[in-house]
Amino acid sequence: MARYVGRENVRKRLEPLAGGQGRTTYTGEAARIATAAETITVRPPFGLAHEGVYERVELGPLFDALARDHVVAALLVRLGGYAVGVFEGERLVASKVGSRFVKGRHKKGGSSQSRFRRRREGQERELIEDAAETAARVLAPYRDRIGHVALGGDRAAVKRVLESLPWLEEKALTRFFAVPDPRLRELERLPYELYAAEVDEEPA
């Protein structure tokens, strides 16, 4: 089963194999390292442009891709709060978090339920608009430099914010980040996950 592993831990795991017997295949998006004992497939989070086949364990192109830093925007949204940030490499250089109260589910029926639903929908709309306006403001100075966008939180809420900022979706990473509560601390923890590679290990 594939799992996400921090880039330094990937290097530590693979370095002992470098130059050894085996076969390494670079497909343009992943590196597949096959030895007598196992096969390891690594997909760097920001892609891997190199292609080629080596009749040995060749890790140079993979390590280069993992070590490369990027300018990444982050948009984390759940009903109740949001966090927006810009990373240069693993350094958070701009950020803004916000929250708005959104009522929970209503169990009663009738007119009371209708009033509750309208109130909740209004609160959700205000949150989404606030998140979109904040993201536009925080990310604008970096827009020309942002190469990738990390999205996380609640998929439906993020999708509504992206309707106002379609350029973010165009640069979105495939991985959607699970964030229980979009706060500054979640932004500060994000770099490890941003640069974590997808690793799949299979015994021979």
Side-chain angles (χ1 to χ4, degrees):
M1 180 180 295
R3 58 196 176 100
Y4 288 97
V5 181
R7 58 179 174 179
E8 288 303 318
N9 290 331
V10 173
R11 176 181 284 275
K12 291 177 182 177
R13 168 69 175 86
L14 296 180
E15 272 185 335
L17 304 178
Q21 294 183 347
R23 181 183 178 90
T24 310
T25 304
Y26 287 89
T27 63
E29 62 177 25
R32 183 173 181 272
I33 302 126
T35 69
E38 60 189 341
T39 297
I40 305 171
T41 302
V42 182
R43 293 178 177 83
F46 302 103
L48 179 59
H50 186 73
E51 296 185 9
V53 178
Y54 301 85
E55 298 302 327
R56 64 181 183 278
V57 177
E58 176 54 62
L59 301 175
L62 174 60
F63 285 170
D64 287 346
L66 291 173
R68 192 170 298 119
D69 285 338
H70 302 266
V71 178
V72 183
L75 174 64
L76 313 176
V77 187
R78 298 193 73 87
L79 294 181
Y82 61 85
V84 180
V86 179
F87 294 90
E88 292 180 350
E90 297 188 14
R91 186 167 63 97
L92 182 62
V93 296
S95 66
K96 179 69 175 178
V97 299
S99 62
R100 278 183 177 270
F101 178 71
V102 176
K103 286 182 174 292
R105 300 296 178 185
H106 187 63
K107 297 181 180 179
K108 295 181 179 180
S111 60
S112 173
Q113 184 177 21
S114 296
R115 287 195 303 271
F116 180 90
R117 185 177 63 251
R118 288 194 299 272
R119 189 177 302 117
R120 176 182 167 87
E121 289 172 350
Q123 291 168 343
E124 290 179 3
R125 184 170 57 254
E126 290 175 357
L127 170 72
I128 296 302
E129 291 174 353
D130 195 14
E133 291 171 2
T134 300
R137 185 171 63 253
V138 172
L139 302 181
Y142 302 89
R143 179 168 178 173
D144 292 341
R145 298 176 54 214
I146 292 171
H148 305 275
V149 176
L151 304 174
D154 177 78
R155 288 183 183 274
V158 169
K159 183 177 180 180
R160 291 175 64 183
V161 174
L162 292 178
E163 290 174 0
S164 301
L165 299 165
W167 70 272
L168 293 180
E169 189 169 17
E170 294 169 1
K171 297 185 177 183
L173 295 170
T174 302
R175 183 182 180 187
F176 190 88
F177 295 86
V179 178
D181 187 17
R183 303 288 183 182
L184 180 59
R185 64 177 177 269
E186 297 296 336
L187 278 178
E188 293 172 340
R189 294 171 181 167
L190 195 58
Y192 178 88
E193 296 297 335
L194 277 179
Y195 286 91
E198 185 180 351
V199 179
D200 190 0
E201 302 180 64
E202 299 179 4

